[in-house]
Amino acid sequence: MFKFPKLLGNRSPNRKMNKSNATSIRLLQWNILADGLGEDGFLATEFSPIFESADTNSKGYAANDFMKLVREAKLADTASGMTTKFSKLKGEEKKLKKMKASAEGYEELKESVAKLKEETEKSELVKLKKQFQNSPQLEKVDSEILHWSKRYDRLKRIALEADPDVITFQEIDHVKQFLEDRDFSAKYTCMVDSSKTYKPPNYTENKGNDDLSPDKYFQHILNSRAAFAPKSYSNAYLFRSKRDGKASDIDDDGCAIFWKKEILKPVELGFLRVPSDTEKSEAVLALTLQHLKTDMTFNVITTHLPSGDEPKKELERLAVLNNPSANWTARRIHFQGKDWKEVPYEDNPKFVGIASYVKHFVDRKQTDSSRTIFALDANSRPSFPRIKSDSSSDETNVWHTILSQTTLESIWVQNACIKENGESSDPKNPFVVSVNKMRGPSSNQPPKIGEHQLELIDHVFTNGKKSELVTHVDFNKKDFVPTAPKRYISKEGDAEIDLFPSSTMPSDHLPVVVNITM
């Protein structure tokens, strides 16, 4: 069970310059779980006992017993090979969707899909889904925990109470709402040009005319003057469109950087576009900020790496960190005089991946003394098994690649949460985590039911002189919200009961709050 280490409180004791002329910057790094991705059966056990239905004769299960049902169903499906069949079914359904009915092999593939669907109906997870499909307690999780109106208020409150100077968000698909929120926008913005108004992208039936079509993506995000890198044609946009129709605020999810207006101003905004052979585009976001009182400048970079726990997914992540054979492009705008103008990067660097882009900013320290913060949802834990990638002669993983190729340090290591090899610094609590989530029987993705993700995948790297974690956010010294990392003895027991999102934690990721001495 998690125990608080030394509590720092949620207010920095001193934000003024110290004797060495260093400025402390408080960062909030947080994947906030996109609205469009949030209502997919995330499991919470706080409404227990959990009944199969509202029927008076329905059987109820205590939280521990219910989690045992989920765990056993997952183990049974894994042992029987059912999870492999689910994976195969998903792949074949995608192929079938793209094929024309007249194409060779269409009928055979259609028959194979039908057979796999019939076979997967025997899955223990599917049986569990049917068993609890009318559970009032699981329905309450959807309405009281996962609904955006509930989550947004909590997200905003935590962010404001944490009182960061800079915020890096991933999976934000409500930029407009944050910017128009009276309380939030009074302190924070992500617009480098205050005369501009943020508007979600316009998608049409003719994709060539879309704001974020491949040939227009870069110019659109630069012209928006927003420190926001959307994922075009995202699932978040698709799912919200199906749910909310033609609501005017439907947006793609992506990465954003907000800053406290009263102490910081932006001087440079840039994007590194991730190579893609599809219609979809996404980019790494980089922002240079200047402290209004000290004139100190520092760089903040954020991104969101591909998800998945299989080795092939780690290879995908490594390929976006370093891939010299791909076509990488980067563009930026810089504040000059009274306006923002596009200018090439100094020395015309050749970027070969995200790591080289981050290193470009790290190297600026030699010319302008600026420090760098790289905050991201890496979707990879430090202890992920190392693997041989196309661009590396040695076995590596995301954690090792970032440390070695950017020369930055991890705040988790600086604060003795983990060792540099990724292992917990406390043998009694081997699970040091920023996510603790699981999908339950109400999920529309049966193979993901019971998949317990308990790991440290949210990271902040910096060449700041030191860092100090803020271990909780408190409201009126009564309502404490823990921040990352949390520590657990094992995946069972407390970790299964303490899942998030919850009524306290509005995302499936814990917020990371850290003071960095620049």
Side-chain angles (χ1 to χ4, degrees), residues 11-260:
R11 298 290 177 184
S12 176
N14 185 6
R15 290 180 177 274
K16 296 181 180 179
M17 293 180 67
N18 61 26
K19 293 180 181 179
S20 62
N21 287 330
T23 298
S24 178
I25 295 297
R26 174 166 290 187
L27 174 76
L28 166 61
Q29 149 60 28
W30 203 359
N31 179 325
I32 60 173
L33 179 58
D35 178 14
L37 305 175
E39 296 180 30
D40 186 28
F42 284 99
L43 188 56
T45 60
E46 57 192 278
F47 305 125
S48 62
I50 300 167
F51 289 89
E52 296 173 342
S53 71
D55 191 289
T56 53
N57 297 319
S58 175
K59 187 176 181 180
Y61 296 82
N64 285 319
D65 294 331
F66 176 76
M67 293 308 301
K68 184 179 179 182
L69 285 180
V70 176
R71 192 187 325 127
E72 290 178 345
K74 185 68 173 181
L75 289 171
D77 272 11
T78 302
S80 68
M82 193 63 71
T83 51
T84 303
K85 289 182 179 179
F86 273 120
S87 181
K88 185 178 179 182
L89 173 61
K90 184 178 180 180
E92 293 197 355
E93 283 182 323
K94 283 185 177 180
K95 288 181 182 178
L96 188 65
K97 188 176 181 181
K98 294 179 181 178
M99 286 181 72
K100 293 182 179 180
S102 58
E104 183 180 350
Y106 179 85
E107 290 300 327
E108 291 82 353
L109 186 58
K110 184 178 179 181
E111 185 178 330
S112 176
V113 167
K115 184 178 179 181
L116 283 170
K117 282 184 177 180
E118 184 179 346
E119 290 175 353
T120 53
E121 280 296 308
K122 300 173 185 177
S123 156
E124 293 300 318
L125 291 171
V126 170
K127 292 177 184 177
L128 191 70
K129 178 176 176 63
K130 292 178 179 178
Q131 182 181 351
F132 287 92
Q133 64 183 354
N134 296 315
S135 167
Q137 288 71 37
L138 296 185
E139 289 175 1
K140 194 173 181 180
V141 171
D142 291 338
S143 62
E144 296 298 317
I145 293 177
L146 298 179
H147 195 275
W148 178 250
S149 63
K150 301 285 184 180
R151 293 203 297 116
Y152 175 74
D153 287 342
R154 192 72 176 180
L155 286 164
K156 183 185 75 170
R157 189 180 178 203
I158 291 173
L160 290 175
E161 289 294 331
D163 193 31
D165 302 314
V166 179
I167 302 170
T168 50
F169 280 148
Q170 296 83 43
E171 283 195 25
I172 178 171
D173 59 351
H174 277 283
V175 170
K176 190 171 186 288
Q177 183 176 9
F178 276 95
L179 287 172
E180 293 179 351
D181 185 288
R182 181 182 300 177
D183 297 328
F184 189 83
S185 65
K187 293 180 70 174
Y188 299 101
T189 186
C190 69
M191 301 298 294
V192 299
D193 185 344
S194 59
S195 69
K196 292 272 191 176
T197 300
Y198 177 79
K199 295 180 181 178
N202 180 42
Y203 287 127
T204 66
E205 293 183 2
N206 181 359
K207 289 188 175 181
N209 294 328
D210 292 344
D211 287 342
L212 294 180
S213 61
D215 60 332
K216 295 181 179 180
Y217 178 83
F218 238 138
Q219 202 57 52
H220 179 81
I221 59 176
L222 287 170
N223 289 344
S224 74
R225 298 298 195 257
F228 176 52
K231 297 178 180 179
S232 66
Y233 305 104
S234 65
N235 285 333
Y237 190 102
L238 174 64
F239 296 155
R240 276 198 68 204
S241 297
K242 289 181 178 179
R243 187 190 73 199
D244 300 338
K246 295 183 178 181
S248 61
D249 67 337
I250 296 179
D251 203 346
D252 289 297
D253 75 295
C255 299
I257 300 174
F258 287 81
W259 59 92
K260 192 177 285 185

Side-chain angles (χ1 to χ4, degrees), residues 410-458:
S410 166
I411 63 165
W412 303 134
V413 177
Q414 288 181 342
N415 288 272
C417 300
I418 61 174
K419 302 174 185 176
E420 194 162 321
N421 64 4
E423 295 179 358
S424 172
S425 57
D426 179 6
K428 295 181 180 179
N429 294 280
F431 290 87
V432 182
V433 309
S434 59
V435 295
N436 179 20
K437 61 183 176 181
M438 184 188 297
R439 286 177 175 82
S442 59
S443 173
N444 291 319
Q445 304 181 75
K448 289 192 174 182
I449 295 173
E451 209 171 86
H452 192 181
Q453 190 174 359
L454 183 72
E455 52 193 352
L456 189 67
I457 62 175
D458 299 276

Side-chain angles (χ1 to χ4, degrees), residues 384-403:
F384 199 100
R386 295 193 184 190
I387 191 170
K388 182 75 169 59
S389 70
D390 292 338
S391 58
S392 175
S393 57
D394 300 315
E395 291 187 340
T396 187
N397 60 14
V398 167
W399 167 261
H400 177 72
T401 298
I402 293 174
L403 288 176

